[in-house]
Amino acid sequence: YNIVMRCWARKGCLQHIDELFSVLESVGLRPSLDSYAAALQCTGRNQSSPEAIWRYLEQLKSDGFHVDELFQKCLFEEDEKEKILRAIRTVLPNYQLPPPPKPQTCKSTLLQDFYSKEKVVSYPKLDFSVEELQERFQQQLEMELNNTITIESVEAAKPPTPQAVKARELLGTLRSQWHDAVLQALQKSKHSMAKARALSKYNMLYPYLCLLPDEEYVGIMLQVLNTLSPQGESLAVLARELSNKVYSRYITHRKLRSHQLEKLQGVYEDYIHLLAKDSQPDQYLPREYWEKLVAEAGFGSSLTLKDCSWPYAVLMRLGMHMLELLVKAVTVPRNLLNPRLESKSIPVLYHVYSYQNMWQVGLIKPHPIFSQIVTDAAETTLTFHSSAMPMLCPPVPWTSPHFGAFVVNDTKLMRFVDGDIQHQLLLEQCPPVNLHPVLDALTQLGNCAWKINQPVLDIIISIFNDKGNEQLDIPPPLSEAPKPPTAPGHSSTWSKSLKRELLLCKKKAAEMHSLRMDALYKLSIANYVRDKVFWFPHNMDFRGRTYPCPPYFNHLGNDVTRAILLFAEGRPLGPRGLDWLKIHLINLTGLKKKNALQERLEYANEIMEEILDSADHPITGRKWWMNTDEPWQALACCMEIAKASRSPDPAAYISHFPVHQDGSCNGLQHYAALGRDLIGALSVNLMPCSVPQDVYSAVAQQVEEFRKKDAERGVKIAQGLQGFISRKVVTCLCASLPWVLALSSASFAVPLPDPSLCLWSVQEYLWEASHYLVRQVFNSIKEMFSATRDIQHWLTESAKLISQSGRTVEWVTPLGLPIVQPYYRFKSTVVRCHWGGAAATVLGHPEKAQSSPEEKPDTVKQKNAFPPNFIHSLDSTHMMLTALHCFRQGLTFVSVHDCYWTHALTVDIMNQICRQQFVALHSEKILQDLSEFMLEKYCSPNTETIAAWQKKLMEQLSNVPRTGEFNLKQVMDSTYFFS
């Protein structure tokens, strides 16, 4: 109703709006504020009589609203606000707009000092002038308005072969033909739909195909051909990708039409005065300053658009329809590569079926002729959506769940599966002031400026273009894939071993293509921004874990990606900076994990000859760096140490290099702190000690003791595992313990024993051996970390009872972020395609369906996921607290979950802040607060009688696990809080 009313209001159709109000009244519905805003806008636009305006104002009042709420709660586009004000002043000439709401201050006890206004705080500035930042903003705006950006591939340096030149010309001709064919098919489809609409057979997709110019739909559809793997792609994934691109482009058009972009541009040009080095304001946080500027901007479009999200079913059907047009319209002559064949046209794309986890799914695969042409062409350009690229200017600060990050591209604060709505509803219901810490932390992470480590990037690109190197994690091209054996005759005559070998070759080729393309995207984007300064806007998942928005190239990537990233801001090393670089290098090698920091430093000094040789001759020297755990980051660090140590004054050397501090089994650290577990705290380095404690070795030793006792009692599996138990075997399970609970899940974290190391070689014993190891590791940890198991059990049982009552598990983090677990027992969502044979289900996976109030929680997932998700949310809270306080003290800070990065100069300060915030976080009554929240939410009876399940849940939630005697203040003196 509101959407229709707004359309009629723009046209001044007051009679139609009156009719809609009558309809609402007849069915017992109360008009919303947006309804009254549309009606008053209409009266202001066509200068209606005072009587009509009074009538709506009186009705608004009788429905319990105040006229001020129109300007406080409604969102406006174009001149809507001005027209409403004109209507009101027609009958109330002295009416004044309500003053902007006073800024609210977060009341979290964890951030009282951070948000304190008692003293003026000077926050760090970027090393750019206002003029430079304005220029970068214009570059970013142009890229986003263009929607896509085409860049040179790193393979462009190779001279094209005659075969490639010929194939590229052929592709150019074919693409021109396909463009015309798809355009014609789209227009014909729309014409049929419009005709059906005239016959009262309205097609729901028709309006969605009229939102953009036809050329834009065609361009979006043809992009599929540029990125489709020879092995094909899921029909459902492609459909969502196509419809999401249409939606994204529609949002851009809508922002342009509503003049929202003009207002945003004006606000941003004022906002950068806060960030630039040659500007004045410095006492504001970025979010606070942005909100101040928006309030001062007054009239015009709201910077947050009214919700216009499309239903999940519509998105899927739109994407499916576009794929159908593509499959039918795009063809090639069958004899294109072989003149001896007939010249019949065949589809470039075809639809096949496959089974994934017992669900029948559709795949779109390219014809081998098309794949061969693309391979021969070896094109040297790549096209990305603008949101896949790093930003060329500082991100827009996050101010609400709907607004922040990119300039134009629509970005959600919280990531969730398509169709899930409960997260967004929870955020919208949350008081805005409660989200300030999360919004400010995400903004701070996104405001870190980056640049490229060009010497390291050049070495990586040279190896990438020279057949790659799997040892160094540089994927080789498909030409290096194993050649499948010759398979004579029909497939029905092939032996099992031959079929298996062919299948393995096919699987290896698919894996190699995927890895190669991923590396190509990352390296090409890095090469494109090699001379630029750039930024990574951030958002988060439903647990609060933060992620950069650009998906391909960011600091959360692998060793290769991290090695080519530097802070754009440089800082002198200071008195301890060079030592921290050396310690960081040894940490990257993985050689001295059990040694004290001083011993790691001494070892680095002992091997300085190897470090300098690696820096000077990375490819032709002794290649010491190649044998480390993180070779590319180690090489980058070697180069930085060489430059610093050779400088006249290493302490004055300006370093842009990020030094990492990696959490020491941080999941168990949180459990030990929650339970004040003295033994657990000592095992995971929360207490002072001379050397780092190795919880993995301790668990391995305990497991071996259990194994020996079982072997003496004649347990065959225990006897067979003699000599197999080691630190490496139990490491992955210990690290994953805080994140998994069910033994069936944890089994996958344990490597199956190698038969050559065991006393048996029969395959059927291997799975039993894996389960045996899981049980013994869990028993060992239960004995060592008694408080951890008690807390896990309490969380699990609470979640089990909550989900059995038909509710999902919800909680609020200590920073005020509301969280709900999105695990439901879904019925399959069936979307069918009707081309290429019989209709087939292309989307049936339960986790991909749209949630609704009628769906029941998945009890198993709800209870098993609660402990790890709760610990993840605490871990994220600790990171955000550290980020905010580092910002307050002027440090450059970013994180990869529990791995914190800063300059070598400020490692000691960051370490101190990190410990302070860990102590502050766990000084809160976390489990008690969780218990009280859940008791209020799930156990507050609506009647005088209490249901049996509520009584049982109340008993469970009230029985908060007891805590031990560990003194949290000891964390401040812990040397190895970071590993």
Side-chain angles (χ1 to χ4, degrees):
Y1 279 105
N2 289 332
I3 293 172
V4 174
M5 282 189 190
R6 285 180 61 227
C7 292
W8 282 339
R10 294 257 182 93
K11 298 178 180 179
C13 301
L14 189 59
Q15 180 182 349
H16 293 320
I17 292 177
D18 285 339
E19 291 170 357
L20 260 185
F21 266 79
S22 299
V23 171
L24 288 174
E25 185 179 353
S26 67
V27 295
L29 293 176
R30 188 183 76 161
S32 67
L33 267 177
D34 285 325
S35 302
Y36 287 110
L40 290 168
Q41 178 206 153
C42 186
T43 60
R45 197 172 293 281
N46 61 13
Q47 298 183 1
S48 300
S49 66
E51 290 78 10
I53 299 172
W54 267 121
R55 176 163 47 86
Y56 280 115
L57 288 177
E58 287 296 324
Q59 189 174 344
L60 178 144
K61 184 178 179 181
S62 66
D63 279 334
F65 298 118
H66 191 279
V67 65
D68 286 353
E69 292 182 85
L70 291 168
F71 302 100
Q72 292 169 335
K73 297 180 179 180
C74 292
L75 299 175
F76 304 106
E77 295 184 13
E78 300 180 28
D79 60 349
E80 292 175 352
K81 187 175 183 179
E82 292 91 323
K83 298 303 181 187
I84 294 171
L85 184 60
R86 175 198 282 182
I88 294 172
R89 285 180 174 169
T90 300
V91 296
L92 298 171
N94 296 323
Y95 177 78
Q96 296 297 319
L97 287 172
K102 290 183 179 180
Q104 292 182 289
T105 302
C106 176
K107 301 300 182 185
S108 170
T109 56
L110 292 168
L111 290 167
Q112 283 180 344
D113 292 340
F114 181 79
Y115 286 111
S116 173
K117 303 297 181 183
E118 294 178 1
K119 60 179 181 178
V120 175
V121 179
S122 181
Y123 293 106
K125 302 275 189 176
L126 297 173
D127 192 24
F128 298 104
S129 66
V130 170
E131 185 178 352
E132 288 172 326
L133 289 177
Q134 286 174 342
E135 182 181 343
R136 282 167 165 75
F137 171 74
Q138 291 301 326
Q139 293 171 359
Q140 177 67 27
L141 180 59
E142 181 181 357
M143 180 172 70
E144 292 191 41
L145 289 177
N146 288 336
N147 197 39
T148 60
I149 180 170
T150 300
I151 66 175
E152 286 288 334
S153 158
V154 292
E155 295 178 326
K158 298 179 182 178
T161 63
Q163 183 185 24
V165 172
K166 184 178 179 182
R168 289 175 191 177
E169 291 174 354
L170 177 58
L171 262 182
T173 303
L174 289 172
R175 282 171 178 155
S176 177
Q177 295 172 0
W178 295 337
H179 174 276
D180 295 341
V182 174
L183 179 61
Q184 185 177 355
L186 173 65
Q187 292 173 342
K188 183 178 178 181
S189 168
K190 288 172 64 177
H191 179 72
S192 299
M193 290 179 182
K195 200 172 176 184
R197 182 182 182 187
L199 296 172
S200 300
K201 294 179 180 178
Y202 179 65
N203 190 307
M204 64 179 289
L205 293 182
Y206 182 73
Y208 295 92
L209 291 170
C210 298
L211 294 171
L212 307 177
D214 289 348
E215 289 284 347
E216 292 201 36
Y217 289 100
V218 174
I220 289 170
M221 284 187 269
L222 291 178
Q223 285 175 25
V224 170
L225 299 177
N226 298 331
T227 57
L228 193 60
S229 161
Q231 286 73 39
E233 181 60 89
S234 160
L235 197 58
V237 170
L238 286 177
R240 288 201 306 275
E241 181 183 317
L242 284 170
S243 57
N244 284 336
K245 285 181 178 179
V246 173
Y247 175 77
S248 175
R249 195 62 184 153
Y250 159 69
I251 292 296
T252 300
H253 280 274
R254 189 175 169 194
K255 289 179 178 179
L256 286 169
R257 285 196 309 269
S258 68
H259 304 293
Q260 187 220 56
L261 200 52
E262 294 176 15
K263 185 172 180 178
L264 185 143
Q265 187 167 355
V267 173
Y268 191 94
E269 289 178 355
D270 290 333
Y271 165 70
I272 54 181
H273 285 79
L274 180 75
L275 308 178
K277 62 184 178 183
D278 59 344
S279 56
Q280 296 302 316
D282 58 5
Q283 72 269 32
Y284 294 97
L285 291 168
R287 173 191 50 78
E288 293 173 342
Y289 194 57
W290 184 275
E291 289 174 342
K292 173 180 178 291
L293 294 172
V294 170
E296 292 172 352
F299 288 107
S301 178
S302 302
L303 290 187
T304 302
L305 291 176
K306 293 179 187 290
D307 180 46
C308 56
S309 54
W310 297 350
Y312 181 67
V314 168
L315 285 167
M316 283 304 304
R317 292 186 185 280
L318 176 62
M320 291 293 295
H321 180 72
M322 293 171 72
L323 273 179
E324 181 177 356
L325 294 177
L326 200 60
V327 169
K328 289 183 176 179
V330 178
T331 62
V332 292
R334 190 182 176 202
N335 64 346
L336 196 63
L337 299 180
N338 187 351
R340 289 177 296 179
L341 299 174
E342 60 179 318
S343 59
K344 177 184 176 183
S345 289
I346 56 174
V348 167
L349 304 176
Y350 58 101
H351 182 210
V352 297
Y353 310 116
S354 179
Y355 283 90
Q356 296 179 5
N357 298 328
M358 300 184 67
W359 292 96
Q360 186 186 29
V361 297
L363 298 177
I364 291 291
K365 295 190 71 172
H367 195 281
I369 291 176
F370 173 71
S371 298
Q372 186 62 52
I373 297 172
V374 171
T375 302
D376 293 344
E379 292 185 298
T380 59
T381 59
L382 298 169
T383 299
F384 297 100
H385 191 271
S386 57
S387 62
M389 301 294 289
M391 288 188 70
L392 304 178
C393 68
V396 175
W398 282 105
T399 58
S400 77
H402 300 280
F403 187 82
F406 292 101
V407 177
V408 177
N409 292 320
D410 194 45
T411 313
K412 297 292 185 186
L413 176 69
M414 187 173 281
R415 302 173 174 210
F416 43 82
V417 176
D418 284 342
D420 283 346
I421 59 173
Q422 64 270 41
H423 304 294
Q424 196 66 28
L425 292 174
L426 208 58
L427 289 174
E428 289 170 358
Q429 293 164 5
C430 181
V433 68
N434 290 4
L435 294 177
H436 284 176
V438 171
L439 300 175
D440 291 335
L442 288 170
T443 298
Q444 188 271 338
L445 294 172
N447 273 349
C448 176
W450 300 88
K451 70 175 186 176
I452 294 297
N453 189 334
Q454 295 187 18
V456 176
L457 176 62
D458 290 337
I459 295 171
I460 293 171
I461 290 175
S462 67
I463 294 176
F464 181 84
N465 284 333
D466 185 28
K467 297 185 178 181
N469 185 320
E470 289 190 277
Q471 179 192 346
L472 295 176
D473 205 18
I474 310 293
L478 273 179
S479 59
E480 301 300 305
K483 305 299 179 187
T486 305
H490 193 266
S491 58
S492 60
T493 64
W494 297 346
S495 66
K496 285 186 178 180
S497 60
L498 178 60
K499 288 180 180 179
R500 177 175 173 78
E501 191 172 354
L502 287 168
L503 185 64
L504 289 176
C505 286
K506 185 178 180 181
K507 182 181 178 183
K508 179 66 175 177
E511 291 172 352
M512 287 180 64
H513 178 270
S514 177
L515 292 171
R516 181 75 176 182
M517 294 305 294
D518 180 64
L520 178 66
Y521 291 169
K522 290 175 178 175
L523 294 177
S524 298
I525 293 173
N527 196 48
Y528 173 74
V529 296
R530 64 183 298 130
D531 298 314
K532 299 177 173 66
V533 172
F534 50 91
W535 288 261
F536 298 126
H538 281 60
N539 61 3
M540 60 185 173
D541 67 12
F542 76 92
R543 302 162 301 183
R545 299 202 93 181
T546 60
Y547 300 86
C549 297
Y552 302 116
F553 175 65
N554 58 62
H555 61 287
L556 259 69
N558 59 5
D559 174 48
V560 174
T561 311
R562 296 183 190 187
I564 55 182
L565 281 168
L566 296 171
F567 292 137
E569 179 190 11
R571 298 225 176 157
L573 285 179
R576 283 175 50 83
L578 183 56
D579 288 350
W580 271 118
L581 282 174
K582 292 176 181 178
I583 293 170
H584 176 56
L585 173 62
I586 303 307
N587 290 343
L588 291 168
T589 67
L591 296 173
K592 300 288 180 180
K593 292 181 178 180
K594 298 181 183 179
N595 295 72
L597 291 177
Q598 184 59 34
E599 292 173 338
R600 299 180 204 183
L601 177 59
E602 291 169 359
Y603 178 70
N605 289 326
E606 290 172 11
I607 62 168
M608 273 301 291
E609 188 177 338
E610 296 289 353
I611 294 172
L612 296 177
D613 176 74
S614 295
D616 297 337
H617 312 288
I619 303 300
T620 58
R622 294 190 292 273
K623 305 175 185 176
W624 168 85
W625 63 277
M626 290 189 182
N627 298 313
T628 61
D629 282 1
E630 308 284 353
W632 288 108
Q633 291 177 81
L635 174 61
C637 196
C638 287
M639 292 179 171
E640 188 73 2
I641 291 171
K643 287 185 284 187
S645 60
R646 289 166 175 166
S647 66
D649 180 8
Y653 172 77
I654 303 298
S655 175
H656 297 259
F657 199 84
V659 175
H660 311 171
Q661 297 286 277
D662 204 353
S664 177
C665 207
N666 67 306
L668 287 175
Q669 284 181 332
H670 284 292
Y671 272 121
L674 283 171
R676 303 295 194 271
D677 186 342
L678 192 61
I679 297 175
L682 178 62
S683 301
V684 291
N685 297 300
L686 292 184
M687 297 173 66
C689 48
S690 57
V691 294
Q693 299 301 299
D694 185 10
V695 66
Y696 306 130
S697 295
V699 172
Q701 185 177 353
Q702 184 68 58
V703 170
E704 176 62 14
E705 291 297 321
F706 288 155
R707 187 205 63 78
K708 284 181 180 178
K709 292 179 181 178
D710 287 343
E712 291 171 0
R713 292 198 298 267
V715 178
K716 187 174 182 180
I717 294 296
Q719 294 171 344
L721 285 170
Q722 180 179 345
F724 178 74
I725 309 299
S726 67
R727 181 185 188 277
K728 184 177 181 181
V729 169
V730 302
T731 292
C732 48
L733 185 56
C734 288
S736 61
L737 172 70
W739 322 125
V740 299
L741 189 66
L743 292 181
S744 58
S745 300
S747 300
F748 295 102
V750 178
L752 290 173
D754 183 345
S756 64
L757 300 177
C758 305
L759 299 183
W760 69 82
S761 58
V762 184
Q763 184 71 24
E764 54 261 32
Y765 287 118
L766 299 184
W767 188 248
E768 187 179 347
S770 180
H771 276 271
Y772 175 84
L773 282 175
V774 170
R775 288 194 300 273
Q776 298 307 336
V777 169
F778 269 66
N779 289 336
S780 300
I781 291 176
K782 184 176 181 180
E783 189 165 305
M784 294 175 62
F785 297 89
S786 56
T788 295
R789 295 302 298 169
D790 290 344
I791 294 170
Q792 279 194 334
H793 180 74
W794 182 73
L795 294 172
T796 306
E797 287 302 306
S798 300
K800 177 182 175 182
L801 293 172
I802 290 169
S803 57
Q804 284 178 343
S805 72
R807 310 281 293 278
T808 53
V809 179
E810 295 183 27
W811 68 98
V812 178
T813 72
L815 281 186
L817 178 68
I819 295 176
V820 56
Q821 293 194 146
Y823 311 121
Y824 292 89
R825 296 205 314 253
F826 288 115
K827 298 174 182 176
S828 62
T829 296
V830 179
V831 179
R832 296 179 181 272
C833 59
H834 296 277
W835 73 92
T841 302
V842 297
L843 180 65
H845 198 286
E847 290 184 357
K848 305 300 182 186
Q850 183 165 354
S851 57
S852 68
E854 291 76 26
E855 303 293 355
K856 293 183 179 180
D858 186 319
T859 302
V860 174
K861 287 186 177 180
Q862 289 283 343
K863 74 180 183 68
N864 285 344
F866 184 35
N869 285 341
F870 182 70
I871 294 298
H872 273 306
S873 71
L874 289 184
D875 196 40
S876 170
T877 298
H878 176 227
M879 185 280 294
M880 290 183 178
L881 286 169
T882 304
L884 292 173
H885 284 86
C886 284
F887 179 55
R888 182 75 178 245
Q889 295 197 32
L891 275 65
T892 299
F893 173 91
V894 291
S895 79
V896 180
H897 303 317
D898 64 323
C899 181
Y900 298 168
W901 300 16
T902 192
H903 287 94
L905 173 70
T906 53
V907 170
D908 290 310
I909 303 173
M910 184 191 73
N911 279 337
Q912 186 75 2
I913 294 172
C914 181
R915 286 164 171 76
Q916 288 171 349
Q917 297 313 310
F918 187 88
V919 172
L921 172 62
H922 283 284
S923 296
E924 299 285 297
K925 301 177 298 177
I926 294 175
L927 294 181
Q928 190 63 44
D929 289 344
L930 176 66
S931 170
E932 291 172 4
F933 171 83
M934 289 186 161
L935 282 168
E936 182 179 352
K937 181 168 187 65
Y938 300 108
C939 300
S940 296
N942 296 323
T943 63
E944 294 181 1
T945 58
I946 300 177
W949 69 266
Q950 281 184 313
K951 187 175 181 181
K952 188 175 181 182
L953 180 57
M954 287 175 68
E955 293 174 358
Q956 168 65 26
L957 292 174
S958 300
N959 189 24
V960 179
R962 294 181 179 180
T963 57
E965 298 177 356
F966 170 58
N967 185 352
L968 274 174
K969 292 183 179 178
Q970 291 183 282
V971 173
M972 296 305 302
D973 299 320
S974 166
T975 311
Y976 299 101
F977 184 81
F978 291 110
S979 59

